[in-house]
Amino acid sequence: MTTTLALAARLRALSDDELVAALHVRPVRRSGISDFFDLAEALLDPDNLVRALAPLDRLQLAALIVLGREGAALSADRLAERLSEHPATAGTDAHRAAATIAALGRLLLVHPADGGAAPYEAVTAVIASGPQRGLPRPDAVLATAPPPVPPTTTEDDRPATDRLSAERAFEAVASVSELLAELGREGARELQKGGLALPAAKRLSEALAVESGAVPAILAVAGRAGLAAVADGVWLPTAEAAAWQHATTPDRWRALASAWVGSLPGDLSTLFAARSRSSWDDGLRAHIAWLYPASPAEALERVAERVAEAELLGITARRLPSSAGTALLESGPAAATEAMIAHFPAEVSKVYLQHDLTVISPGPLAPEVESRLRTMADLESRALASTFRFSAASVDRAVTAGESAASIHAFLAAVSLTGVPQPLDYLIAEAVARHGRVRVRAADDGHGLVRSDDAMLLGTIAVDQSLSSLRLLRVDDTTLSSRFPRDVVFWALSDARYPVVAENAAGTVVTPQRRIIAERAVVEARDPAAELVARLRQEDAADEDTAEQWLARQLDQAVRARQTVIVQVAMPDGRLVEYLLEPTGIGGGRLRGRDRAADIERTLPLSSVRGLRSVD
């Protein structure tokens, strides 16, 4: 077996990058670690090993079990032969065995030796005591064959699956679009422990017309695609969201699907690709539970999140991969989009304007038409045929953003199949005339002042409970004051649907900009692993005699572990002689131990010891 001594030497010999990478996947508590021996002991601590072993798949666990039972290093070819003898790993070839050894080596669970690898003694001990530590029994790991491979999807299932998949994909694009619009209007607060605050989740659920349980998946899909991000604890659209909003529906779906598949961890990417033509239902869950015998619940939860997103995006429909989903996993996003386009409804650029101030879209609107229409009308229902409604508040919002009666009328005349109804003409004219009846500017002290010549309207604002947080106080018959800045007051009044404009100190109308973009600031995060490695290197180099210090720690470790080592000793005539020694003590400048080759006790002067190494 390979012991702490060998691991300490290996850690010291690794490059900084290799060591930092290893500590990222095998984190340790930094307190009490002053050298590489301490680090090796921390990595081989039973509790740390349990945390490292729990996420391993069955092949990796089986390899550790077989290597531990062998008692010596095995090459990839020999390991493959041994693994093939067990039902759980039958058919394992040398390539998979070599990849498994490499993965376990990066996790610092096996030690490279003799062209192969051997597990550390502590690893084998923890695996052997598995049931007492929440790990599976070694025999069960090796003896449990994988569940049967599910049948592939028949071509008869494809048409119905693809139709439903296209509906889901279209709905997903619409939901993400609506999510970004809502986040741009008002961000959603993220809790410190993760997840949305309840008021934000409820608001988004109502805006997207979905159940509250669906909001996290939609937000996750948008986040993976880089369209939304958290800034100062609030979910907001990113700068990339605007370009995505103006892209075609197929291109928008492609961005979402590409982000989904591109962010899959390696094991899930392999798993889903192997099931690109078969069901992702109970058979997949059974395989996951088999594949990760030490942590099935955690693995199932991790997979369930991605499966739910795949269902949302139309990659699967009723847990069956669609043609687009199969293409995504086998050929990539471009091929998947081509497969999906065939089932998407055609986009339209014309609408019906009704006398009741509603707008009916006979199909999915072209993004450039929809985005402009949304600046002046409110979405009432979204489907293949969406409905919008004009109101005085929505038109006022458009005018605030820079529209005029003429520009609104010109746009509507260009996209309407029914002309511009007279009631809508009146509404636009009246809203534009009312615009600016409430004005907000900054006082000398920076607080907001609300002015209006309409005393009745100003009185309504003063007693409006939705504006109570502004703490509005009467200054005179035409003015209210707030302790909040002008822009805060302006947006509160705008959201409450008052015909408000903002003015600068000179009385010129300006349009305040909300913070609706999540800036992707580059934050130099601390890396505890890199800091630990830097400290160990510094302390190692600071020793007056690094070689002697290292030799002393090696000898001390060998004595404490009663580990047989090869000791290299300088003889008086200049020769170097090696002894196979089991050290038993150090004192008075001498090393005492049992010579295993000659079966005698030896006492060697420490000044003559030039080095030692593990027998492993």
Side-chain angles (χ1 to χ4, degrees):
M1 298 295 176
T2 307
T3 60
T4 307
L5 182 63
L7 178 57
R10 179 186 174 193
L11 294 173
R12 190 174 187 240
L14 289 175
S15 69
D16 285 359
D17 290 342
E18 290 173 326
L19 190 50
V20 170
L23 293 179
H24 283 162
V25 292
R26 291 284 312 279
V28 297
R29 297 182 65 177
R30 292 183 294 167
S31 59
I33 297 179
S34 59
D35 58 26
F36 289 104
F37 285 96
D38 293 335
L39 179 57
E41 289 178 344
L43 288 167
L44 296 180
D45 176 77
D47 290 338
N48 189 288
L49 286 175
V50 169
R51 291 192 295 271
L53 293 170
L56 298 186
D57 62 36
R58 190 173 291 265
L59 178 59
Q60 291 170 333
L61 280 175
L64 287 173
I65 294 168
V66 169
L67 288 171
R69 289 179 175 179
E70 191 70 18
L74 289 180
S75 65
D77 289 336
R78 296 292 294 169
L79 177 60
E81 292 177 9
R82 295 288 187 270
L83 290 171
S84 295
E85 298 170 358
H86 301 281
T89 51
T92 303
D93 57 22
H95 177 74
R96 289 188 67 197
T100 301
I101 288 175
L104 295 173
R106 289 190 294 271
L107 290 169
L108 303 176
L109 296 173
V110 298
H111 191 82
D114 300 331
Y120 294 101
E121 187 177 81
V123 174
T124 300
V126 168
I127 291 176
S129 62
Q132 288 77 39
R133 298 184 178 276
L135 299 174
R137 290 185 300 104
D139 288 341
V141 172
L142 298 173
T144 307
V149 178
T152 58
T153 305
T154 65
E155 290 304 314
D156 293 340
D157 297 328
R158 285 287 187 185
T161 299
D162 289 345
R163 284 194 299 271
L164 181 57
S165 163
E167 291 178 16
R168 298 265 177 86
F170 181 81
E171 291 171 2
V173 170
S175 294
V176 172
S177 178
E178 190 65 28
L179 172 74
L180 297 176
E182 185 64 21
L183 292 179
R185 190 187 71 80
E186 181 182 352
R189 188 166 66 87
E190 173 89 349
L191 299 174
Q192 285 188 346
K193 62 182 180 181
L196 290 176
L198 185 59
K202 183 177 180 181
R203 175 174 59 84
L204 291 178
S205 173
E206 293 174 351
L208 274 59
V210 298
E211 294 182 0
S212 58
V215 172
I218 298 170
L219 192 59
V221 165
R224 292 191 205 286
L227 304 176
V230 177
D232 296 330
V234 177
W235 278 97
L236 295 169
T238 63
E240 291 82 355
W244 183 88
Q245 289 277 47
H246 287 84
T248 64
T249 299
D251 284 343
R252 288 193 282 181
W253 181 82
R254 175 179 178 171
L256 299 179
S258 178
W260 179 85
V261 74
S263 64
L264 289 175
D267 60 336
L268 297 191
S269 179
T270 301
L271 180 69
F272 291 149
R275 281 164 172 70
S276 62
R277 297 174 183 268
S278 56
S279 173
W280 291 13
D281 55 9
D282 292 342
L284 176 62
R285 288 189 287 272
H287 182 78
I288 292 296
W290 174 87
L291 187 60
Y292 296 97
S295 56
E298 292 81 353
L300 285 169
E301 182 179 354
R302 188 165 59 101
V303 172
E305 178 184 354
R306 296 310 186 104
V307 169
E309 292 173 12
E311 195 78 5
L312 172 72
L313 290 170
I315 295 167
T316 61
R318 297 197 181 102
R319 300 294 189 263
L320 290 175
S322 62
S323 296
T326 299
L328 178 67
L329 294 167
E330 294 180 356
S331 304
T337 306
E338 288 297 318
M340 186 64 80
I341 285 175
H343 303 282
F344 267 161
E347 293 178 342
V348 300
S349 58
K350 299 288 185 178
V351 297
Y352 295 99
L353 299 182
Q354 309 285 349
H355 283 74
D356 63 355
L357 304 181
T358 58
V359 183
I360 306 298
S361 165
L365 273 175
E368 63 274 11
V369 176
E370 181 182 8
S371 61
R372 179 85 182 274
L373 183 59
R374 288 185 65 123
T375 65
M376 57 189 71
D378 296 315
L379 179 69
E380 280 199 334
S381 65
R382 177 185 286 282
L384 291 179
S386 300
T387 304
F388 300 80
R389 181 175 293 276
F390 280 93
S391 66
S394 69
V395 176
D396 186 74
R397 183 178 68 233
V399 177
T400 299
E403 296 278 5
S404 65
S407 66
I408 294 173
H409 196 281
F411 167 71
L412 295 178
V415 300
S416 176
L417 293 167
T418 53
V420 181
Q422 194 173 51
L424 183 54
D425 254 340
Y426 288 154
L427 176 71
I428 294 170
E430 183 181 352
V432 171
R434 289 178 67 248
H435 185 70
R437 288 173 62 189
V438 180
R439 303 176 303 281
V440 182
R441 69 167 58 183
D444 293 338
D445 59 3
H447 294 173
L449 295 177
V450 181
R451 300 175 182 271
S452 179
D453 295 330
D454 188 332
M456 184 175 294
L457 178 58
L458 198 66
T460 301
I461 292 173
V463 298
D464 191 333
Q465 289 301 307
S466 69
L467 300 174
S468 60
S469 61
L470 294 179
R471 306 288 177 86
L472 294 170
L473 299 175
R474 177 76 69 169
V475 176
D476 54 40
D477 291 343
T478 61
T479 309
L480 300 173
S481 69
S482 170
R483 63 187 179 89
F484 291 97
R486 180 200 67 182
D487 289 4
V488 173
V489 176
F490 170 83
W491 286 114
L493 290 169
S494 177
D495 290 342
R497 302 183 180 234
Y498 288 100
V500 62
V501 296
E503 298 176 335
N504 60 19
T508 303
V509 175
V510 295
T511 303
Q513 295 297 315
R514 256 177 169 161
R515 186 191 177 206
I516 59 171
I517 298 297
E519 299 292 342
R520 292 188 166 187
V522 178
V523 180
E524 293 293 336
R526 291 181 57 204
D527 187 344
E531 292 176 359
L532 175 59
V533 170
R535 178 167 61 81
L536 292 180
R537 297 294 190 202
Q538 185 176 13
E539 292 179 1
D540 198 35
D543 287 335
E544 294 183 3
D545 192 334
T546 301
E548 287 188 9
Q549 294 286 342
W550 179 251
L551 181 60
R553 284 304 308 267
Q554 284 181 301
L555 288 170
D556 179 66
Q557 179 66 36
V559 170
R560 286 194 291 124
R562 301 189 66 84
Q563 178 189 358
T564 301
V565 294
I566 297 174
V567 180
Q568 191 177 63
V569 180
M571 305 304 288
D573 58 3
R575 291 182 300 114
L576 290 177
V577 176
E578 292 184 344
Y579 295 106
L580 186 63
L581 202 69
E582 180 186 317
T584 56
I586 301 175
R590 295 184 177 278
L591 168 66
R592 296 182 300 280
R594 185 77 179 178
D595 188 329
R596 287 300 183 186
D599 195 23
I600 59 173
E601 293 290 335
R602 289 192 184 274
T603 300
L604 304 171
L606 286 176
S607 59
S608 299
V609 177
R610 295 292 179 264
L612 77 158
R613 64 180 186 275
S614 171
V615 175
D616 305 309

